Amino acid sequence: MTTINWGLIGGGRGSQIGPAHRLAARLDGLYNFTAGALDHRAEEGRAYGQELGLEPSRSYGDWREMLAGESARADRVDLVTVATPNNTHFEITKAFLEAGFNVLCEKPLTMTPKEAQSLIGVARESGKICAVNYGYTGYALVRHMRAMVARGDIGKVRMVFTEFAHGHHADAADADNPRVRWRYDPEMVGVSAQFADCGIHALHLATFVTNQRVERLSADCVSLIPSRTLEDDAMVNFRMSEGTVGRLWTSSCALGRQHGLGIQVFGETGGLRWTQEQPNQLFYTPLGGRTQIIERGEGGLSPEADRSSRVTIGHSEGMPLAFGNIYSELATAIHALKAGQTPDLGLVPLVEAGADSISAIAAVARSGNNNGQWVEL
Ligand code: NAI
């Protein structure tokens, strides 16, 4: 297979998520990092791109320049990752799809349900791939959980408990730091802060593992740091399409917690438990039996888990490798598209999943502003 030219927008020096994308895209030798518009400051973005090995002519000062430059090239990038702050996702993703590029957009896909619906249309019309980086679904054992649920290992799923609660924005004295502040600024993030930033990962994980959609929810949203107009903590109850009861907690003020993403699924004949900080073990308890530890890399796992695992059992695989599984499946799909075939997007979260999350964000804000009233998505 020839390597795919890949471009990155955002993810500049010191950014949180840029390094994970650069590692993930190049992990399996499937992509060349060829172009970028890495920073909101043109000169800083150009300089950093060149430090990372981009040709000067392809280390762009901003994304519009990159769109024009790459559109004009025969060897243009085939996949563009959008890793900028949330309020830019819609405009950049739409422009690149319309110009015929495949796009992997960071979550949340857009700021409003209307924009998300419009992107579904743009993506379908373009015939290109529009994926959303719910990268934690790339973990081998998350995929194994999904396979276990699908084949009935824990019976009908009664309840799912999912959380994404960290403590990194708990310092009231640091609330005005620009790196923190944008995450709570309605201009930058829309109607929700912590739920839109982290809660949607937890909610998406619930839909991914159970293969159900969220139908309605009730949210209790609070600002534990009073200067914030948007929530930094939320408890969300939800109901899923096959009747599963959902509970979700998200917080950025949970001091002592680091990443804090995890999921538990409780069925009629068994339970499963997985956390992002120990991603190589999955805990399985059959009804009436002892808790078993399923190790990533052991024999006899599902095909989804086997193909998502690179190193042998006993060695840790972490987040960039999970993101790498999204990139490798996108590479296979892009090669299929280029060959005129229908791509198999496997387990990659697509624009429709991104749009579901945006509906959930709107519903959480609506419910949170109405004393936790239940609302339909
Ligand atoms: P950050 O604030 O650490 O970095 C943002 C980067 O984007 C900076 O380098 C900035 O200069 C650049 N940038 C801003 N506007 C730009 C523009 N118009 N053109 C080009 N570059 C621009 O933010 P962080 O945490 O890296 O988040 C970026 C996005 O990734 C957000 O949407 C966030 O929700 C998402 N994210 C996703 C994660 C995941 O697990 N999937 C984890 C962390 C963030």
Side-chain angles (χ1 to χ4, degrees):
M1 272 204 304
T2 52
T3 48
I4 292 170
N5 287 339
W6 172 65
L8 176 63
I9 303 174
R13 196 192 310 271
S15 67
Q16 191 184 159
I17 206 64
H21 280 287
R22 293 201 313 277
L23 284 167
R26 292 180 294 181
L27 199 59
D28 297 315
L30 300 171
Y31 295 89
N32 290 322
F33 181 31
T34 321
L38 304 181
D39 204 284
H40 63 288
R41 297 157 300 179
E43 283 319 310
E44 166 59 26
R46 282 197 189 98
Y48 188 52
Q50 288 176 50
E51 271 176 48
L52 294 174
L54 295 180
E55 283 173 23
S57 63
R58 299 180 89 172
S59 185
Y60 299 95
D62 72 63
W63 67 265
R64 288 189 179 81
E65 202 182 286
M66 177 167 156
L67 180 64
E70 291 301 307
S71 297
R73 298 184 71 107
D75 63 347
R76 67 193 216 160
V77 290
D78 278 322
L79 176 68
V80 174
T81 295
V82 180
T84 50
N86 308 357
N87 63 336
T88 60
H89 292 176
F90 173 64
E91 185 181 31
I92 301 175
T93 299
K94 180 169 179 284
F96 276 86
L97 282 171
E98 284 174 344
F101 294 87
N102 299 296
V103 179
L104 171 62
C105 183
E106 262 306 342
K107 44 53 63 175
L109 179 64
T110 62
M111 299 275 277
T112 66
K114 194 172 163 205
E115 289 171 349
Q117 289 308 317
S118 128
L119 272 191
I120 292 178
V122 172
R124 286 185 186 158
E125 199 144 305
S126 72
K128 296 292 171 185
I129 298 163
C130 181
V132 183
N133 189 37
Y134 287 113
Y136 306 107
T137 62
Y139 276 110
L141 290 180
V142 169
R143 291 173 166 198
H144 188 61
M145 264 179 118
R146 185 181 204 267
M148 287 181 76
V149 170
R151 70 190 186 202
D153 289 8
I154 62 166
K156 185 174 165 48
V157 179
R158 289 177 174 146
M159 206 258 273
V160 55
F161 174 77
T162 182
E163 59 191 326
F164 195 160
H166 66 78
H168 298 294
H169 303 159
D171 182 357
D174 196 43
D176 261 347
N177 171 348
R179 297 302 289 271
V180 175
R181 197 181 49 216
W182 75 259
R183 291 192 142 84
Y184 301 89
D185 177 356
E187 290 284 312
M188 300 287 280
V189 299
V191 292
S192 157
Q194 178 58 20
F195 181 78
D197 193 25
C198 294
I200 56 168
H201 274 300
L203 194 73
H204 181 263
L205 218 46
T207 63
F208 181 81
V209 168
T210 62
N211 201 20
Q212 296 181 47
R213 297 181 79 184
V214 175
E215 293 190 329
R216 57 203 176 91
L217 60 78
S218 155
D220 178 17
C221 299
V222 291
S223 300
L224 295 174
I225 294 187
S227 62
R228 292 177 176 151
T229 46
L230 294 175
E231 88 288 351
D232 51 22
D233 186 290
M235 186 67 89
V236 182
N237 283 308
F238 56 98
R239 297 289 185 271
M240 307 190 79
S241 41
E242 286 168 33
T244 295
V245 171
R247 320 251 185 237
L248 181 154
W249 174 46
T250 188
S251 185
S252 66
C253 296
L255 265 179
R257 281 181 162 241
Q258 295 303 333
H259 190 256
L261 174 67
I263 183 163
Q264 289 177 259
V265 187
F266 304 101
E268 286 177 351
T269 60
L272 291 163
R273 174 162 54 92
W274 178 87
T275 61
Q276 207 275 144
E277 290 174 39
Q278 278 88 39
N280 296 287
Q281 285 84 34
L282 171 62
F283 294 84
Y284 165 53
T285 311
L287 180 67
R290 287 203 177 115
T291 297
Q292 303 165 22
I293 301 176
I294 298 169
E295 295 278 351
R296 185 204 53 72
E298 72 182 37
L301 296 186
S302 54
E304 297 89 321
D306 284 345
R307 72 164 195 263
S308 307
S309 192
R310 289 175 184 75
V311 296
T312 49
I313 186 168
H315 302 286
S316 303
E317 282 195 9
M319 178 260 238
L321 282 80
F323 283 21
N325 289 327
I326 307 284
Y327 276 96
S328 65
E329 289 180 358
L330 281 173
T332 307
I334 290 167
H335 282 299
L337 262 188
K338 287 173 88 166
Q341 297 155 3
T342 307
D344 172 6
L345 278 149
L347 297 173
V348 176
L350 296 174
V351 63
E352 291 82 2
D356 281 351
S357 298
I358 305 303
S359 301
I361 292 169
V364 162
R366 236 172 30 247
S367 172
N369 290 333
N370 285 290
N371 285 322
Q373 192 181 27
W374 280 87
V375 296
E376 304 289 322
L377 260 72

